[in-house]
Amino acid sequence: MTNWDEFGFNTRAVRAGQVRSEEGEHSETIFPTSSFVFESAAQAAARFSHKEQGNIYSRFTNPTVRNFEQRLATLEGGERCMATASGMAAIFSTCLGLLKAGDHIVASQSIFGSTVILLNNILAKFDVKTTFVKLTDLDSWQAAIQPNTKFLFLETPSNPLTEVADIGALANLAHANDCLLVVDNCFCTPALQKPLSLGADLVVHSATKFLDGQGRCMGGAVVGSEKLVGGDIFAVLRSGGSTMSPFNAWVFLKGLETLDLRMQKHCDNAEALAQWLVKQELIERIYYPGLPSHSQYDLALRQQSRFGSLVSFEVKGGQEAAWHVIDSTRIMSITANLGDTKTTITHPATTTHGRITAEQRHAAGINDGLIRISVGLENVEDLQADLLRGFK
Ligand SMILES: *Cc1c(COP(=O)(O)O)cnc(C)c1O
């Protein structure tokens, strides 16, 4: 087998993991099959008893899914990747694989809403408790760690305020306390940030976002060592059943082929939009790690190759002004999703963060005038004109 580590990122993104069939097809093959046929009863027995490696059933392994897993593993710099039915399935499988009743998690308070619900409401039923801390406050992470803490969990940059966590420092803290560091690398993708190389133990992904990048399929992945991912986490997936479909794996394979290209253009557009927003009168505050005025610009510069596609800003005039800006757009999609070629615009206070109290929201910095944009691949001048209509 090819050692993909010797090749550049884009070569791996285009080619890693592909095994051609005897038909000699150029593009990757989809294997839409639930089960696999054995040559004999003896071979079936050998596969089931693990004496012989090979496919049995697509809940366990599927060639198209494996192709995606191997490609993403080498892009993240991990030994093993496991694909899942969604990003939440990746996080849930990781939790079920690593935890037992009585265990504890320390998580950033600035994480995806469904992840908060999973940790707070669902895992709590099984006596797994989570302490939420401020992403950028290393002391509060340290103070929250207990003897039964199994892992630290974060996203960086955070959504929607683009706070940046020091992955290396948090990995050291986790390891000094006998815990693991799990990073949701959804916003940067391996094209911009490689948490495993900074010391994290596991990366989780919502492939639904930038890995597909075109808003077509649900999927997720966990990447890390053979021991962690191939052991308890695979066992959960195999029997828990939240596997990725071969068709979706094929879509994500095609997404990975253009991942770096797309991420570079997302960053070009986001940087241009952020620099333009700074000059607009109606803007009260802007959040983008690529602006030297961002409080963690130096850390972002060190840890990421570029600054990503999420840009948030606060307009003067609260919710009314924010809604006016959003409703005046003609190109941007008003949707809470992100990571698409199509630019999306969201009012966090009344959507993604609408279920928490106004006090909690303001404490978290999600003010009523805040707008979040996931900058797509349209012409940036058109995006500026789209916003300018509402700024008037
Ligand atoms: C969307 C998202 C998820 C969940 O992924 P799904 O594919 O929707 O299940 C997890 N983490 C982050 C940061 C996300 O944006």
Side-chain angles (χ1 to χ4, degrees), residues 86-88 112 155 184 186-187 206 208-209 218-219:
S86 67
M88 290 318 303
F112 190 62
E155 296 166 13
D184 183 334
C186 171
F187 301 123
S206 169
T208 316
K209 312 293 168 53
M218 302 291 301

Side-chain angles (χ1 to χ4, degrees), residues 232-253:
D232 290 341
I233 300 174
F234 179 57
V236 167
L237 197 79
R238 185 185 160 105
S239 295
S242 50
T243 35
M244 179 181 281
S245 86
F247 178 79
N248 288 9
W250 180 80
V251 172
F252 295 132
L253 272 168

